[in-house]
Each structure stands twice: as C-alpha cells, then as structure tokens.
Amino acid sequence: MTEKVPENAEQPKRKVKIKLNRPDSFKQCYAIGAMGGHSPYDFRICFYNDTPKGVSENNEQVIERTLETEIILSPLAAMELSKWLNQHLNEYIAVFGPIKGKPMPKDEKPAKDDSAHLQGYI
C-alpha cells in the first residue's frame, strides 16, 4: 500500500549546481550608454561608446557612436534582468550612497529616445 501525499504538501527542493564556462569567443566590453527597443517578441539593448570628433562646418559638435554589442532578450528574460539590475542598484546605493546624475524635473516627461530604429534588426 502506498502512502498518499496531500496535494498542498511541500515538495523537497532540488539543488542545482551551475558550472560557468567562458568559451574562447567570450568578450567583455565597457559601454557608456545603451539604447534599444522592443517588439511583441523580444527586447533589444544595444550598448555603445561615444567619441567626440570635433566641430562640424555648421558649428555642431560631432560625436562618433560605436555600437559595441546588442543583446536580444525574451520578455521574461528582460523582466528578470530588470529585477536583477534593481536589486544590484539598491545594494550599490546601500554601500556607496546615491548615484549622482542630473535629476529630471518632476513635471517634465522623458524625451522619446532615438532608438526606435533598433526595434527591428540592425
């Protein structure tokens, strides 16, 4: 005779061991910014670096933007990344204090970014 386990009984948790592997193709880059967008299927984040190139004939500052890498995430992975970033930002702030940046006035809406072109494929 087998013992019947109640449906709401807590199941023993299985331990998972994750082995990290860095293939020869692994690369690391520093980025000063990110831009991107989303479609119904995925979120795209493109990390970049800017290099000032002087002033143009029209007296405009010229900056060369180098796209370093693009990450494509499922909506679920994007949500998990958001949680992970928020957790680590909160830990950083607890240790080092607030991150300084230019605050946005409360009545001002964020400007629409120029990354709509990244919603498709680059």
Side-chain angles (χ1 to χ4, degrees):
M1 186 165 152
T2 59
E3 184 179 328
K4 188 171 183 179
V5 178
E7 287 183 30
N8 60 355
E10 196 171 309
Q11 300 295 321
K13 297 208 177 200
R14 184 182 310 177
K15 292 183 180 181
V16 176
K17 182 178 180 181
I18 297 174
K19 182 180 175 185
L20 298 177
N21 179 34
R22 278 195 185 168
D24 291 339
S25 61
F26 176 83
K27 100 174 192 176
Q28 191 175 39
C29 70
Y30 181 84
I32 65 161
M35 58 187 188
H38 61 86
S39 73
Y41 310 104
D42 56 38
F43 284 74
R44 293 165 181 266
I45 307 169
C46 189
F47 295 96
Y48 63 83
N49 284 300
D50 287 342
T51 305
K53 292 294 185 181
V55 179
S56 72
E57 295 172 5
N58 301 343
N59 204 27
E60 294 175 323
Q61 175 68 46
V62 177
I63 296 175
E64 181 178 273
R65 178 162 288 174
T66 304
L67 304 179
E68 300 293 346
T69 190
E70 182 184 34
I71 307 298
I72 303 168
L73 302 166
S74 70
L76 178 59
M79 185 172 63
E80 291 298 322
L81 174 61
S82 173
K83 289 178 186 177
W84 182 86
L85 278 171
N86 282 325
Q87 174 189 343
H88 285 273
L89 283 167
N90 289 334
E91 290 173 7
Y92 179 96
I93 290 166
V95 173
F96 300 106
I99 299 170
K100 303 217 183 317
K102 183 178 178 184
M104 185 184 315
K106 293 186 185 208
D107 59 344
E108 185 179 320
K109 292 183 179 178
K112 183 170 172 72
D113 69 19
D114 65 341
S115 61
H117 65 281
L118 292 177
Q119 290 183 12
Y121 293 93
I122 294 179

